[in-house]
Amino acid sequence: MPFSLLVDEAAVFPLRAVIFQSLLLLVAIAIEATVLRRQLRLGFQPSIRYAASLNIFSVVIGWIVFLGLEPLLPISARTQIISYILFGHFYSNSMARGLGAAIVAIGLIAFFITFWVKAKALEWLTWLLGVPIVKPIERTNPNRIRYGRSRPDRATASPHMLAVLRANALSFTVILLLLLLRTQIGQGI
């Protein structure tokens, strides 16, 4: 491959999006490591390792899913996505009016899928490493003693699921605020 062809192909590389994704990933790792350290009572290094592993795994899975689904979208949606990734703003076309509701719906779906991926990845990671940091804690029902088996058992609360949920919610909130700030700064310039 000649060098000039390589340079022409690299001109389309979304460097701004890659750098911004990396910065958001670092923010998410820092926030989630703090939450995991406090909730699961881990040390600094293990919490950072777990948070980095979970976030990198979820980002890789997210990009694989995105790149698999993107060719299936209509051309107007693909234009919006390419415009946002390459230039940082949405293109004015027929789809621009309903974009807000679509972004909120996609964000909610991404939140719950990311939570599930991170929770399962933490379970797999602790199983592979042989370090059982996740043990379910049963919540006892005080009425159970009084009424015996007449009431159904309460579900067990898993501390790692709650920790991942809190960490994911906090990191998604901060990332959303950073994206809104980026949009406001971009419009002001």
Side-chain angles (χ1 to χ4, degrees):
M1 174 183 282
F3 184 72
S4 62
L5 182 61
L6 180 66
V7 171
D8 289 341
E9 292 294 324
V12 182
F13 186 70
L15 188 59
R16 183 186 324 178
V18 170
I19 290 172
F20 199 67
Q21 172 83 47
S22 300
L23 290 174
L24 292 179
L25 188 61
L26 288 174
V27 168
I29 289 170
I31 291 170
E32 292 185 17
T34 303
V35 173
L36 292 177
R37 185 178 62 82
R38 288 184 181 161
Q39 295 290 317
L40 299 177
R41 302 191 191 290
L42 298 172
F44 286 105
Q45 288 183 354
S47 63
I48 291 172
R49 287 182 190 139
Y50 283 126
S53 300
L54 298 177
N55 277 291
I56 290 171
F57 180 72
S58 66
V59 165
V60 168
I61 294 296
W63 275 106
I64 289 171
V65 169
F66 169 74
L67 293 173
L69 291 178
E70 189 263 340
L72 304 175
L73 295 173
I75 194 69
S76 60
R78 292 175 70 188
T79 304
Q80 292 291 1
I81 291 170
I82 291 170
S83 174
Y84 188 75
I85 289 175
L86 291 179
F87 306 116
H89 58 83
F90 292 109
Y91 182 72
S92 296
N93 64 5
S94 63
M95 192 176 186
R97 287 175 290 168
L99 208 53
I103 290 173
V104 170
I106 291 169
L108 284 172
I109 292 168
F111 172 79
F112 287 112
I113 290 174
T114 304
F115 163 67
W116 183 81
V117 167
K118 287 180 182 179
K120 288 299 176 189
L122 183 60
E123 287 178 10
W124 296 335
L125 189 59
T126 57
W127 178 75
L128 284 172
L129 295 175
V131 183
I133 64 166
V134 294
K135 291 183 181 177
I137 298 173
E138 289 195 32
R139 298 192 183 214
T140 58
N141 185 357
N143 293 331
R144 180 179 168 86
I145 298 168
R146 184 182 305 159
Y147 298 113
R149 288 266 183 209
S150 64
R151 294 189 181 228
D153 290 339
R154 297 276 184 205
T156 58
S158 180
H160 83 282
M161 292 290 273
L162 293 175
V164 171
L165 179 63
R166 288 180 182 145
N168 197 36
L170 188 59
S171 67
F172 259 71
T173 303
V174 170
I175 287 171
L176 177 64
L177 292 174
L178 288 174
L179 288 173
L180 290 174
L181 182 66
R182 177 185 177 208
T183 303
Q184 291 300 322
I185 290 173
Q187 289 177 353
I189 294 177

